[in-house]
Amino acid sequence: MPTRIKLQDGEYRLVEDPFTTIGDDAGLPPGDVIISLTRFQTEGDQLLSEGRKVGVRLEPAEEVEALVYDLPRIALVAVVFPKYRDGRSYTAARLLRERYGFEREIRAVGEVLREQAGFMARVGIDAFSPADGSTPEDWARATHRQRHVYQRAADRRTPAFAERE
Amino acid sequence: MYRYDTLDKEFLADRAAEFREQVGRRLAGEITEDQFKMIRLMNGLYLQLHAYMLRIAVPYGALNPTQMRALAQIGRKYDKGYGHFTTRTNLQFHWIKLADAPDILDALAAVDMHAIQTSGNCIRNTTADPFAGATAEEIDDPRVWSEAIRQWSSLHPEFSFLPRKFKVAITGSAKDRTAAKVHDIGLMMRRGRDGAFGFEVIVGGGLGRTPYVGPTINEFLPANRLFSYLEAVLRVYNRHGRRDNIYKARIKILVAALGAEEFARQVKEEWEKIGPAGDLPDTEIARIRGAFVPMDFDTLVNRSEAFEAAKAADPALARFARNNLREHKRPGYTIVEISLKAIGETPGDATSDQMDVVADLAERYGHGDIRVTHEQNLVLPHVKLDDLAAVHAGLKAVGLATPNVNLISDIIACPGLDYCALANARAIPIAQDIARTFADQDRAELIGELKIKISGCINACGHHHVGHIGILGVDKKGEEFYQLTLGGSGAEDAAVGSMLGPALPAGRVAGAIDTMVDVYLRERQDGERFLDTFRRTGVTPFKEAVYADAN
Amino acid sequence: MRALTANRLTDGEVVFWKAGAWVERFADAELFEDAEAGEAAEASAKTQQTVIVEPYLIDLIESESLWAPLSYRERLRALGPTNHLHHGKQAEGGAAIEALQHASGAARSSGRVNLIKRK
């Protein structure tokens, strides 16, 4: 079974990934799937009624608000980074966590490099499919690199201004 | 000045340690140049024509003597004994070795400095009024807010991969010495009806390929709501700014496409959702404010007999005083502008020896405070008139007493093709030519305020669009040509200049400016500035004179 | 006639290809008369990821019976900045440097596209 790096109880681990990512035109295998927002909007009800877990792949140009109504039924959101420099999915993840209270997995897919680890963890992304072969140890090191942070964010780390109080 | 506490220091140390490891991985071949490029740019390290260039942040342009000496020392040890102050009030070293960069970042961190976010599509160094804390015009000290922005924007989890770079400027009053209206966000300090202060928020100004004077999207933002509002602006931009075309990715394009009103509406809607949870606690602002408490100025009278006597005895000092001093809020003190535009030298360059002298003078006579201006000069913001002769003598000894601030030879120029991998043409030699043409200080003073700004490419680091005379280097079939614009301004009366006519070859630029100055002196009424004459007459008389021989 | 140039990884120094290695002086650069030899060298240079950054071929012209880069930008790279004549390779002086300084060709640099992307 394929794997992804998962943040669980503050630890980064390589864990098995029960989800299969399915393209819009591909046939559906049995089991848990990740599908596009478009496909979810037409086939989501059917798939969920079959008892599978369904994750939704959210492209950077898609509005996170389109998912809000269905969040209680969604097993995970895979936010896409088509290029490392495309930072729209940081906003999507942060809003999912902070504004819409989504507590299940948010997974980073696409050009996911360890240099982004600190930013991704801070906006509440907790699962990673790195494109650079980096390991859970690399991610743990990268996300713990800065002993202090200056902002409030979705990871609930204490910002410097609160540490100072 | 703000002093870094343990948290700030550890933040820099952690970042420098990470970069050392990343450089090690690159040199060992574990990461490709493509992957490494992102990393080094996030640490201000560019590869230019002749070597690496390291751009060091000077947050809101403020330096203490220890920091200035550290920069001087880095210049000696790792560069060629000099550095280059930029229009973003940063300092660039142009001859850096990749293998030395981690040691340099450590040396910077030791004096509370860094190169974080001096490149990349993130929130860059904030520019603030270089006279902050010294000018009587000030409503509130912009350094307080700039320091808070420095912290808030450092490794921001959501806004470090924006569509394009993002620059903020803050004034302390309605007077603008930061070019606020041509920034991604310009914050101009205002006093509200109830006496509380806040900001006029200008968004979507910018230079580059598509210059705009930014529209005001909020007439009065209460200061304590600044950070939730910034978050709202950045979020709307991060989500909706264009990413398909690098030349259309700045926020100005989004604001222009939506219209200022619609953009403001979207920001307001987002701002209301964020609410005060997005603001910094008052206690943190108060803590930062505590670092900028007014200095313990002596109680003096406005007139210094020592200074008057020295001026009478030394015409050079008198000339320096006429051109390089600005009014201080306290009697008996003055703001001293140090020109980095010695005739024939490179605009913005300072040698390590000069940096050391400025540090010494600031320590001895200037309350240990030094500023960098976006016009590539330095400032000693708090000098007693009684000490001015000594300060002048100290500056003069190292070639820093050029009495030309705001005059025609006080030229902004980007590094241009002499260094920069992006440039189309050289900027520095054009500045040198013009300065030599106007080396006669009497004539320069007769001409008065005239701001020439030169960029070596359309990216406009030399702010050419907002020069009273702007000069843009272009590449015509491999030869350097220069397009002139007139009537721009980067001050509170911000305007984008209008094109004079066809581009000129390098050898004709200084002559064309001389010709236009003659037109100005002929047309000038009541001692008006070049800019005001141009606004009255329009481009025609200037154009006719410059292209006369071509007709 | 062409030469192959790049910047050295460790210090950013402008370097030129010479028989599989890199030299700092343009005057020491290997000259490619035929296109194929130059392109083969470029392909080989691109595998030297830990030695140099972004190699590319430049066109040359004759100047004072020596060769010089055709484009102004490349002559600047081979010489150093014109505002500090004691900085960079030009500081050494001599006939080879003067030939570069006196060259007057004009063309867009063949490396331009890469340079703009490089930052």
Side-chain angles (χ1 to χ4, degrees):
Chain A
M1 192 175 273
T3 56
R4 86 277 199 207
I5 296 173
K6 183 97 172 101
L7 173 62
Q8 288 170 324
D9 308 319
E11 306 270 331
Y12 289 86
R13 298 194 183 91
L14 200 62
V15 298
E16 289 189 343
D17 182 8
F19 288 85
T20 313
T21 300
I22 308 297
D24 277 1
D25 302 322
L28 281 164
D32 302 340
V33 290
I34 298 173
I35 53 179
S36 72
L37 177 62
T38 322
R39 192 158 186 179
F40 180 79
Q41 283 165 342
T42 55
E43 295 173 45
D45 287 343
Q46 167 66 30
L47 292 169
L48 286 162
S49 73
E50 293 168 10
R52 327 166 175 245
K53 287 186 181 162
V54 179
V56 176
R57 191 179 152 91
L58 190 71
E59 298 291 336
E62 291 170 337
E63 300 275 306
V64 64
E65 284 77 8
L67 267 182
V68 170
Y69 175 79
D70 290 305
L71 283 179
R73 312 195 294 162
I74 294 173
L76 71 86
V77 179
V79 291
V80 183
F81 294 84
K83 290 267 177 242
Y84 75 82
R85 64 176 95 232
D86 188 334
R88 288 175 284 184
S89 290
Y90 293 101
T91 293
R94 189 172 179 201
L95 292 181
L96 280 170
R97 291 286 188 236
E98 291 187 351
R99 186 165 293 170
Y100 303 115
F102 185 69
E103 289 180 356
R104 298 199 190 97
E105 177 173 318
I106 300 179
R107 179 186 300 194
V109 300
E111 194 174 8
V112 176
L113 311 174
R114 80 189 80 175
E115 272 66 39
Q116 301 152 290
F119 304 104
M120 289 184 172
R122 295 224 63 214
V123 293
I125 296 173
D126 60 353
F128 312 89
S129 303
D132 62 352
S134 46
T135 64
E137 293 70 38
D138 294 328
W139 282 71
R141 269 158 52 80
T143 54
H144 293 128
R145 171 70 76 177
Q146 294 293 141
R147 281 169 283 177
H148 309 285
V149 295
Y150 282 118
Q151 315 82 3
R152 290 188 195 95
D155 60 352
R156 310 268 163 84
R157 278 185 73 177
T158 308
F161 60 78
E163 275 194 83
R164 285 168 175 144
E165 281 181 354
Chain B
M1 285 187 75
Y2 183 78
R3 300 272 170 206
Y4 281 32
D5 67 5
T6 313
L7 275 71
D8 294 310
K9 284 176 187 292
E10 289 179 350
F11 187 91
L12 294 192
D14 292 346
R15 183 65 172 173
E18 180 181 28
F19 188 58
R20 180 177 294 279
E21 186 185 300
Q22 290 164 331
V23 169
R25 280 164 60 206
R26 174 68 183 100
L27 292 174
E30 292 168 26
I31 38 179
T32 65
E33 182 60 22
D34 262 2
Q35 291 166 335
F36 182 63
K37 183 157 47 178
M38 160 183 75
I39 296 166
R40 65 169 161 75
L41 287 178
M42 288 173 86
N43 288 282
L45 193 65
Y46 289 72
L47 180 53
Q48 297 206 314
L49 292 189
H50 314 293
Y52 290 92
M53 178 271 276
L54 181 66
R55 183 181 293 151
I56 294 160
V58 181
Y60 38 97
L63 288 168
N64 64 38
T66 307
Q67 292 172 325
M68 187 64 108
R69 288 191 191 104
L71 293 174
Q73 188 52 26
I74 290 168
R76 274 191 201 98
K77 189 166 174 190
Y78 300 106
D79 200 290
K80 297 182 185 293
Y82 78 115
H84 177 77
F85 288 97
T86 76
T87 53
R88 195 110 219 101
T89 76
N90 290 324
L91 180 84
Q92 293 182 179
F93 286 115
H94 286 139
W95 297 93
I96 295 302
K97 296 179 167 67
L98 174 62
D100 288 336
D103 291 340
I104 300 173
L105 291 191
D106 283 349
L108 289 170
V111 294
D112 303 341
M113 294 191 79
H114 61 82
I116 299 171
Q117 290 172 210
T118 56
S119 175
N121 296 334
C122 51
I123 304 167
R124 303 286 190 91
N125 185 28
T126 298
T127 43
D129 187 349
F131 297 170
T135 170
E137 296 153 351
E138 189 163 285
I139 296 166
D140 187 32
D141 192 328
R143 292 173 298 172
V144 173
W145 303 99
S146 305
E147 172 57 28
I149 291 174
R150 181 193 71 78
Q151 297 187 26
W152 170 81
S153 64
S154 290
L155 303 186
H156 195 286
E158 188 181 344
F159 305 133
S160 292
F161 299 91
L162 296 166
R164 199 79 177 86
K165 56 191 169 184
F166 200 91
K167 301 175 179 178
V168 182
I170 311 188
T171 73
S173 69
K175 176 78 186 164
D176 183 10
R177 281 174 284 260
T178 69
K181 292 182 181 180
V182 289
H183 273 71
D184 296 286
I185 295 185
L187 299 168
M188 296 190 71
M189 197 77 69
R190 296 280 184 262
R191 195 181 294 285
R193 283 185 205 94
D194 58 355
F197 43 77
F199 301 101
E200 178 184 343
V201 183
I202 296 149
V203 179
L207 301 173
R209 192 164 295 229
T210 326
Y212 285 112
V213 172
T216 296
I217 66 159
N218 191 333
E219 295 284 349
F220 187 82
L221 172 71
N224 63 354
R225 298 303 315 280
L226 176 63
F227 288 89
S228 53
Y229 200 83
L230 289 178
E231 184 172 320
V233 172
L234 267 300
R235 185 167 292 146
V236 170
Y237 172 51
N238 192 41
R239 296 183 75 168
H240 303 301
R242 285 183 62 173
R243 291 175 186 265
D244 59 328
N245 180 339
I246 190 174
Y247 299 114
K248 296 186 174 171
R250 294 288 287 268
I251 196 173
K252 61 191 175 186
I253 304 294
L254 177 66
V255 174
L258 291 175
E261 210 167 302
E262 170 58 16
F263 180 80
R265 190 197 63 74
Q266 290 189 16
V267 168
K268 186 155 184 277
E269 189 177 285
E270 179 60 31
W271 186 43
E272 282 164 0
K273 285 180 188 159
I274 296 166
D279 290 310
L280 276 186
D282 293 342
T283 48
E284 177 66 1
I285 298 294
R287 183 188 74 89
I288 294 172
R289 183 176 295 283
F292 296 103
V293 287
M295 299 184 160
D296 48 343
F297 295 114
D298 293 344
T299 304
L300 302 170
V301 293
N302 222 351
R303 185 183 160 86
S304 157
E305 297 308 331
F307 173 52
E308 295 303 328
K311 263 198 305 192
D314 179 2
L317 175 62
R319 192 188 289 278
F320 181 83
R322 273 201 304 280
N323 292 300
N324 292 34
L325 301 188
R326 306 290 169 251
E327 196 177 339
H328 196 276
K329 64 182 176 183
R330 293 293 299 252
Y333 284 84
T334 184
I335 298 169
V336 178
E337 292 206 64
I338 302 169
S339 167
L340 298 180
K341 316 294 175 57
I343 307 299
E345 297 295 327
T346 301
D349 273 13
T351 66
S352 292
D353 293 347
Q354 288 174 328
M355 291 186 223
D356 278 341
V357 165
V358 171
D360 292 346
L361 293 172
E363 201 160 65
R364 186 148 176 214
Y365 301 111
H367 288 254
D369 202 349
I370 305 159
R371 307 289 170 75
V372 185
T373 77
H374 83 277
E375 293 179 324
Q376 298 179 289
N377 291 322
L378 300 177
V379 173
L380 298 176
H382 318 286
V383 175
K384 281 183 199 171
L385 288 173
D386 290 342
D387 294 331
L388 202 70
V391 169
H392 179 253
L395 292 172
K396 197 173 167 185
V398 288
L400 285 177
T402 313
N404 65 346
V405 174
N406 291 335
L407 300 182
I408 192 165
S409 51
D410 180 9
I411 301 166
I412 287 186
C414 72
L417 189 55
D418 280 304
Y419 299 91
C420 178
L422 302 175
N424 287 321
R426 289 174 299 160
I428 295 165
I430 301 296
Q432 291 170 318
D433 265 4
I434 297 169
R436 285 191 198 104
T437 303
F438 295 95
D440 177 351
Q441 292 290 344
D442 287 331
R443 181 151 187 249
E445 283 188 52
L446 175 74
I447 298 162
E449 181 185 312
L450 205 170
K451 302 201 176 210
I452 297 180
K453 306 186 191 234
I454 311 175
S455 306
C457 81
I458 194 67
N459 289 314
C461 296
H463 296 180
H464 63 277
H465 299 105
V466 294
H468 298 176
I469 298 176
I471 302 173
L472 166 65
V474 295
D475 176 330
K476 269 194 177 180
K477 296 182 182 139
E479 292 198 62
E480 299 168 296
F481 272 72
Y482 296 87
Q483 259 169 16
L484 273 53
T485 51
L486 297 186
S489 168
E492 56 281 355
D493 59 352
V496 171
S498 350
M499 193 92 78
L500 180 73
L504 302 171
R508 281 200 58 202
V509 175
I513 291 184
D514 205 13
T515 302
M516 290 196 288
V517 164
D518 286 340
V519 172
Y520 156 63
L521 292 175
R522 188 184 75 215
E523 300 282 336
R524 167 160 81 176
Q525 294 177 0
D526 307 325
E528 65 191 356
R529 297 177 301 169
F530 175 89
L531 180 61
D532 300 315
T533 300
F534 169 81
R535 284 175 173 172
R536 197 167 43 70
T537 66
V539 76
T540 310
F542 298 97
K543 184 171 185 163
E544 281 174 2
V546 169
Y547 297 99
D549 40 333
N551 291 337
Chain C
M1 196 67 83
R2 303 176 99 185
L4 178 60
T5 185
N7 288 73
R8 196 158 53 205
L9 174 66
T10 52
D11 57 4
E13 179 78 30
V14 174
V15 288
F16 301 93
W17 173 277
K18 185 177 185 182
W22 298 92
V23 294
E24 294 185 13
R25 292 191 187 108
F26 172 76
D28 297 336
E30 182 173 343
L31 305 177
F32 299 105
E33 202 152 4
D34 71 285
E36 273 173 38
E39 281 154 23
E42 187 183 14
S44 168
K46 280 183 176 161
T47 66
Q48 298 192 15
Q49 273 263 343
T50 56
V51 182
I52 47 93
V53 177
E54 289 188 35
Y56 57 92
L57 290 161
I58 56 173
D59 293 321
L60 309 181
I61 48 160
E62 266 194 275
S63 172
E64 299 175 2
S65 57
L66 292 169
W67 291 98
L70 173 61
S71 87
Y72 193 75
R73 167 193 298 267
E74 291 307 325
R75 293 202 294 276
L76 272 178
R77 286 181 75 247
L79 286 166
T82 57
N83 60 316
H84 286 299
L85 294 175
H86 52 296
H87 290 171
K89 301 173 190 298
Q90 63 201 349
E92 184 183 329
I97 292 293
E98 279 169 26
L100 288 178
Q101 286 169 332
H102 298 159
S104 60
R108 286 184 167 258
S109 162
S110 46
R112 169 173 298 267
V113 176
N114 285 333
L115 284 164
I116 283 172
K117 278 197 253 153
R118 173 194 289 172
K119 261 213 201 164

